[in-house]
Amino acid sequence: MTELDPGARRAILESCDALREESVRLLERLVRCPSTLGNEASALNEMARIYEGLGLAPQRVPVEVEKLRAHPGFSPPLVSYDGRDNVVAVHRPRSATGRSLVLQGHVDVVPEGAADEWTTPPYEPAIRNGRMYGRGAGDMKAGIISYVTAFRALKEAGLQPAAEVQMHAVIEEECSGNGALACMVAMPPCQAAIIPEPGPGLPAMYSAEVGVVWAFVTVTGRPAHVRDKQAGVNAIEAAMAIWSRFEAYEREMNRAEHIHASFRGVNHPVNVNLGTFDGGEWNSSVATRARLGLRVGVMVGNSADRVRADIERIVDAARDDAALKGAKVTVEFRGFHADPCVFDMEAPIVKLAMRSYAEVTGGDLRQYPATGLTDGRFFQLYQGTPVACFGPDAQEIHGIDESVGLDSMHDITRSIALTMAEWCGVEALS
Ligand SMILES: [Zn+2]
């Protein structure tokens, strides 16, 4: 590998600086798109326009369930994929002398939660004290704008990558990963991937991530007027008894002997979350039906298949529980069926990204074993493509007043620009 010429390096970093304000404006545009599940179209269209602005031709990559169903990374869908095609753009060099690269990011965001608790509305980006606030600002629209700006910075410096660079803007990172999987399968493999997901409140390089299984447990009791309460079976009470079994499972899974070495020192890495709950019909009726929406973490060394079997076993055992008084219980698996993953910290792309970050900032990226997941697992597990998953300092992701540090975002932009230039090599802009 030839070292990047110092003049080119300086020119690229200067271009990043010159593009900084524009990158903040781009991020605002993307944060204004309320791209929750099923509503990603505006963000995807925005990405298509952004890719066009780089001189690339965006192409749409649909999630085709029948094509992907047999893939080990596939998760059972939650909603239809109509009108939600991912957006991909590909840069091809005049002569490919360097190593190819995927720049990947998800446009979907989790729901804003209690919007009235936000200091400023979640889809009206606001900058306070050097941070941009808004749902998705940190997770991970800033990362997407960083990679886009990094590519643009090379061009502004009169250069372009001397290798194929694919950019993937995908849906459903937050619930299945099927957007990432569809794009990975549709495109030729590259030699490395960069995914600028945010770190845990500080810039970090993902060293490992848990897997996740989603399950929906539906409990059907027996309705009765409350005056005959004893004659009924309350579905909500039965559902809470089932939930307590999952709490016991969570305690068990976090016992030291179940924790993989890559998560040593991480407090409570396997989280089981009761994220949604519906139940009951009327304050004066014994509840007929209740539904628990669960997210169950999967430790490295365990598998999504085994955790799914654990969930079925827990539900089976609950059926025999006298406390449920014969309530009917069913379980359904939709959304994440994701295996855990360890990233290769010795991979050349990871080392190069760490070095670029250190050069740009004078600081180091902390290695981060994540108790949540990213799309990085697809490239690592199913394609053997090394992944550098690192991004800006984000706070309150999935919470109220989510934000991203704009200095940190700029650091990530500059790091990706140098990493791309050195990984792919550069050629003069035609
Ligand atoms: Zn994310």
Side-chain angles (χ1 to χ4, degrees):
M1 188 175 75
T2 51
E3 282 271 307
L4 191 62
D5 155 84
R9 174 179 301 258
R10 196 166 48 245
I12 290 168
L13 291 178
E14 281 170 9
S15 299
C16 288
D17 293 344
L19 290 168
R20 179 179 166 143
E21 273 317 298
E22 201 179 323
S23 75
V24 173
R25 301 287 91 79
L26 273 188
L27 177 57
E28 284 172 339
R29 270 164 56 184
L30 206 48
V31 173
R32 274 194 201 100
C33 304
S35 47
T36 50
L37 177 65
N39 305 306
E40 307 90 342
S42 59
L44 292 164
N45 291 339
E46 194 65 68
M47 287 311 302
R49 279 192 289 274
I50 288 171
Y51 290 155
E52 276 168 6
L54 299 175
L56 304 174
Q59 58 190 91
R60 297 283 177 159
V61 178
V63 179
E64 293 172 291
V65 171
E66 289 318 313
K67 259 195 201 167
L68 299 176
R69 199 182 288 285
H71 193 286
F74 180 71
S75 291
L78 291 152
V79 298
S80 159
Y81 287 107
D82 289 350
R84 305 168 59 219
D85 295 353
N86 305 284
V87 184
V88 168
V90 182
H91 157 78
R92 292 191 180 84
R94 280 197 312 285
S95 79
T97 54
R99 293 167 291 186
S100 56
L101 181 65
V102 177
L103 302 169
Q104 199 264 22
H106 66 87
V107 301
D108 57 309
V109 299
V110 300
E112 59 274 20
D116 58 321
E117 291 290 305
W118 285 68
T119 305
T120 45
Y123 301 109
E124 290 174 25
I127 297 171
R128 297 190 288 276
N129 299 322
R131 306 190 68 81
M132 188 186 293
Y133 290 81
R135 170 59 82 234
D139 185 10
M140 61 168 289
K141 290 173 174 176
I144 293 179
I145 297 303
S146 279
Y147 81 61
V148 164
T149 305
F151 184 84
R152 172 92 188 277
L154 266 63
K155 292 206 146 187
E156 296 290 321
L159 302 166
Q160 61 178 12
E164 179 167 313
V165 174
Q166 296 176 9
M167 299 183 200
H168 301 186
V170 306
I171 61 167
E172 289 206 1
E173 188 274 347
E174 300 285 5
C175 62
S176 73
N178 290 340
L181 178 62
C183 291
M184 187 188 80
V185 167
M187 304 301 293
C190 289
Q191 287 164 282
I194 291 177
I195 303 182
E197 283 274 20
L202 49 91
M205 177 69 74
Y206 284 66
S207 57
E209 61 182 41
V210 298
V212 166
V213 176
W214 272 21
F216 295 91
V217 178
T218 301
V219 183
T220 308
R222 195 166 55 246
H225 192 287
V226 277
R227 67 190 175 196
D228 299 319
K229 186 180 160 198
Q230 304 310 321
V233 176
N234 189 310
I236 295 175
E237 290 170 9
M240 294 327 291
I242 294 172
W243 167 240
S244 69
R245 288 173 177 264
F246 280 96
E247 290 179 302
Y249 176 75
E250 182 185 43
R251 284 192 291 276
E252 173 65 23
M253 286 297 110
N254 282 291
R255 286 164 57 110
E257 66 264 32
H258 289 135
I259 304 307
H260 188 263
S262 54
F263 280 81
R264 197 160 288 145
V266 178
N267 180 43
H268 209 275
V270 184
N271 293 311
V272 179
N273 187 51
L274 172 55
T276 59
F277 181 86
D278 306 304
E281 300 82 29
W282 191 246
N283 285 12
S284 296
S285 302
V286 172
T288 313
R289 185 159 278 166
R291 191 175 82 145
L292 306 169
L294 302 171
R295 175 270 196 206
V296 182
V298 183
M299 181 39 55
V300 174
N302 204 347
S303 71
D305 282 344
R306 284 204 290 273
V307 166
R308 179 180 161 136
D310 287 345
I311 294 168
E312 284 173 328
R313 189 175 43 71
I314 292 166
V315 168
D316 276 345
R319 286 194 185 101
D320 301 331
D321 185 343
L324 265 70
K325 294 193 276 184
K328 200 169 86 189
V329 188
T330 57
V331 61
E332 202 187 349
F333 294 93
R334 286 188 297 126
F336 280 126
H337 184 85
D339 279 317
C341 167
V342 175
F343 296 108
D344 180 6
M345 292 295 98
E346 297 302 313
I349 188 68
V350 171
K351 292 184 137 179
L352 177 57
M354 303 270 264
R355 201 177 73 220
S356 301
Y357 183 84
E359 267 181 41
V360 161
T361 66
D364 288 320
L365 285 168
R366 178 110 40 107
Q367 287 196 20
Y368 175 39
T371 59
L373 43 61
T374 72
D375 284 330
R377 69 184 180 281
F378 294 105
F379 295 95
Q380 180 71 49
L381 293 176
Y382 308 119
Q383 203 176 52
T385 301
V387 182
C389 187
F390 68 106
D393 141 39
Q395 287 169 7
E396 301 299 339
I397 63 172
H398 297 217
I400 302 292
D401 286 345
E402 173 179 349
S403 70
V404 67
L406 294 175
D407 285 342
S408 172
M409 174 183 164
H410 186 55
D411 288 342
I412 296 297
T413 300
R414 299 198 304 158
S415 307
I416 294 176
L418 284 190
T419 304
M420 176 166 28
E422 210 152 308
W423 182 260
C424 302
V426 290
E427 59 184 16
L429 204 54
S430 44

